[in-house]
Amino acid sequence: MTTQDWELPISEDQLKRLTRDMEEAHQATLPAMSSGAVDLAAELRTRPAPPVLDTGRRRFLLGAGGAAAALALAACSSSKSGNSPAPNASSMPASGSASGQYTGDLKVVALATALENQAVGAYQAALDAAKAGKLGTVPPAVATFITTAMGQHADHAKAWNGVLTGAGKPAITGVPLSNQPATLEALGKATTVGDVAKLALQLEDQAAQTYLFATYNVTSPGGIATAATIAPVEAMHAAILNYVLGQYPVPDDFLPTDKAASPALLTI
């Protein structure tokens, strides 16, 4: 496929409306997200962090936050096309120091921060490629969606980094994930908006499912609340990307977690 072969399957007006709805949902979640992050930082400062459960272990959702997140995510889940787990993105250098300083719930927070930074890096790379003419003609509504989603990921990363620094740990300003090179390679090969959208969809599915996993595997009420407020916004990103790819997002009864990122991906 050449850079001229891709066309937006929906109208630009439709995409603009979806992007506005996504931003409204994001703004509505910010107060609860910020409050949950403050509570989580205070809790983690005053108690030893418990161990994080392995991602292969499946349990019933614990608490109203987890159940609400599962239902909200199911309502805007992605197409059941079976995309492979996303490689992780961004050329930003990893930050943080020696391995093992993020443990228990803090390791999940560190993972979430890295995933958000990864998404910011991927969307920025897409904008840079578009400006350089590497993706062909990019509809203005697509550029607006990318810019909006990137800003939302930056807000989420800021909230999670606030938890880390509030708990006395270093902020994560890069992408310390072991499969980062695979996404850099995929981004470098992208020649159309569709190519970038497919990669972004994998990243958004991974983020949404990781947050769902977090709602029933972290022990901190503040952590559950923060993850539960962010997850539906990530799922909206994925749903819109499905429309951009010409795929109707089919709701699931409950969102799975088979694409959730493992804390083992962290290199710090």
Side-chain angles (χ1 to χ4, degrees):
M1 177 179 285
T2 69
T3 57
Q4 304 303 318
D5 290 336
W6 187 86
E7 292 183 4
L8 181 64
I10 60 175
S11 73
E12 288 207 61
D13 284 343
Q14 287 175 310
L15 181 54
K16 288 176 183 177
R17 286 196 296 271
L18 290 169
T19 302
R20 284 197 297 268
D21 290 344
M22 179 182 78
E23 179 63 11
E24 288 175 4
H26 173 68
Q27 292 299 324
T29 66
L30 284 178
M33 179 184 71
S34 299
S35 176
V38 169
D39 291 345
L40 176 58
E43 183 178 353
L44 293 177
R45 245 192 339 262
T46 58
R47 68 167 175 82
V52 177
L53 298 181
D54 182 76
T55 52
R57 185 174 175 182
R58 303 299 297 273
R59 303 191 304 162
F60 289 107
L61 295 179
L62 298 180
L71 291 171
L73 286 166
C76 44
S77 71
S78 303
S79 168
K80 300 177 182 179
S81 57
N83 290 331
S84 58
N88 294 311
S90 179
S91 58
M92 295 184 291
S95 67
S97 54
S99 175
Q101 70 173 312
Y102 302 105
T103 58
D105 286 358
L106 279 171
K107 191 161 190 177
V108 177
V109 174
L111 175 64
T113 310
L115 291 175
E116 296 294 354
N117 288 347
Q118 165 189 317
V120 171
Y123 281 125
Q124 184 61 61
L127 289 175
D128 292 344
K131 289 178 181 178
K134 296 180 180 179
L135 302 178
T137 301
V138 179
V142 171
T144 298
F145 166 77
I146 291 174
T147 301
T148 304
M150 183 171 67
Q152 293 176 359
H153 282 295
D155 285 344
H156 297 162
K158 182 179 179 180
W160 288 123
N161 263 329
V163 173
L164 293 177
T165 57
K169 300 295 183 180
I172 295 175
T173 57
V175 185
L177 298 168
S178 61
N179 52 1
Q180 165 182 321
T183 289
L184 292 174
E185 181 179 359
L187 284 168
K189 291 179 178 179
T191 59
T192 69
V193 174
D195 292 340
V196 172
K198 288 176 183 177
L199 175 61
L201 177 58
Q202 293 177 24
L203 296 176
E204 298 290 5
D205 278 340
Q206 177 177 254
Q209 293 190 25
T210 302
Y211 283 129
L212 177 59
F213 169 80
T215 63
Y216 60 97
N217 280 282
V218 300
T219 62
S220 308
I224 295 171
T226 306
T229 56
I230 294 175
V233 176
E234 308 284 22
M236 288 185 73
H237 293 175
I240 293 172
L241 285 165
N242 271 293
Y243 282 118
V244 169
L245 290 167
Q247 302 167 174
Y248 189 83
V250 181
D252 290 320
D253 291 335
F254 282 94
L255 192 75
T257 56
D258 57 293
K259 296 176 186 174
S262 166
L265 287 176
L266 285 168
T267 58
I268 53 176

